[in-house]
Amino acid sequence: DQQVKQNSPSLSVQEGRISILNCDYTNSMFDYFLWYKKYPAEGPTFLISISSIKDKNEDGRFTVFLNKSAKHLSLHIVPSQPGDSAVYFCAASVNYGQNFVFGPGTRLSVLP
Amino acid sequence: EPEVTQTPSHQVTQMGQEVILRCVPISNHLYFYWYRQILGQKVEFLVSFYNNEISEKSEIFDDQFSVERPDGSNFTLKIRSTKLEDSAMYFCASSDGQGGETQYFGPGTRLLVL
C-alpha cells in the first residue's frame, strides 16, 4: 500500500540548474508533509516542511509546493550544488502526527 | 553540534534471538522515535515515545517489539525473537517538539538476522 509515491528513483541535474523532485500521495487525510535528505551511512536530515493550509514554503535554495487537489508536492532546489547529491524522501502524516509515511526516495545526482 | 548516537553500528544475530538496539538522544529532547529501513525499501515509522510512554506506533510495531528509556540518557528498542524479515537499518530520532521538522536522526544500526 503505497500511500506516498516518488515515481522517479533517480534524477541527474547539472550544477547551477534547478532540481525538481516530485511526490504524490493517495491519502487525502495527510495534512503535514516533509522532505528529508539522506547521505550514505547517515540518518535522514530534515530539509523543509509544509502544512496543508499552505501551498508553498521557501527556505533558502529549497522551496516546497503543495497541490492538494492533485495530491502532489514537489521540492525545488535552485541552484543545485554537488553537495545536494543525496537521496531525498518525501514524508506525510495525518493530524500533524508523528506516524510519518515515507516515500521510497529519489536519488539526486548533481553533476559539476 | 549535538547529535543522536546509536550503538552498535552493525549487529548480526541468529533468528529467534533477542536484540537490543541502543540510542542516546540529544540531551534536552523529550520525544523519541524508532524507524526502520529494509534494504532497498522506504523508511518506515515504528514508534514514538514521550513522557515514558508510547505516544504513537505503527502496525509494524507488534508484540515482539518494545521500547524503554532505562535511564536519563538511553532509549532502547528490543526485538524479542528476531525473524529474518527484521533485517534492516534501524534509525533512532529525537526531537524537542512534536513536529517532524524537529527530529534529528541517528546514523542507524544495521541489523542482520541469519
Side-chain angles (χ1 to χ4, degrees), chain A residues 50-91:
Chain A
I50 189 166
S51 71
S52 58
I53 62 173
K54 300 177 78 171
D55 54 20
K56 177 182 174 182
N57 189 23
E58 193 170 352
D59 183 3
R61 296 186 298 115
F62 301 93
T63 303
V64 56
F65 295 92
L66 175 63
N67 182 334
K68 289 186 289 294
S69 60
K71 297 193 182 69
H72 175 84
L73 66 156
S74 61
L75 174 68
H76 293 210
I77 306 173
V78 55
S80 302
Q81 299 172 354
D84 296 329
S85 297
V87 177
Y88 288 77
F89 293 100
C90 167

Side-chain angles (χ1 to χ4, degrees), chain A residues 84-105:
Chain A
D84 296 329
S85 297
V87 177
Y88 288 77
F89 293 100
C90 167
S93 73
V94 175
N95 291 334
Y96 297 89
Q98 299 158 354
N99 184 347
F100 289 101
V101 180
F102 282 71

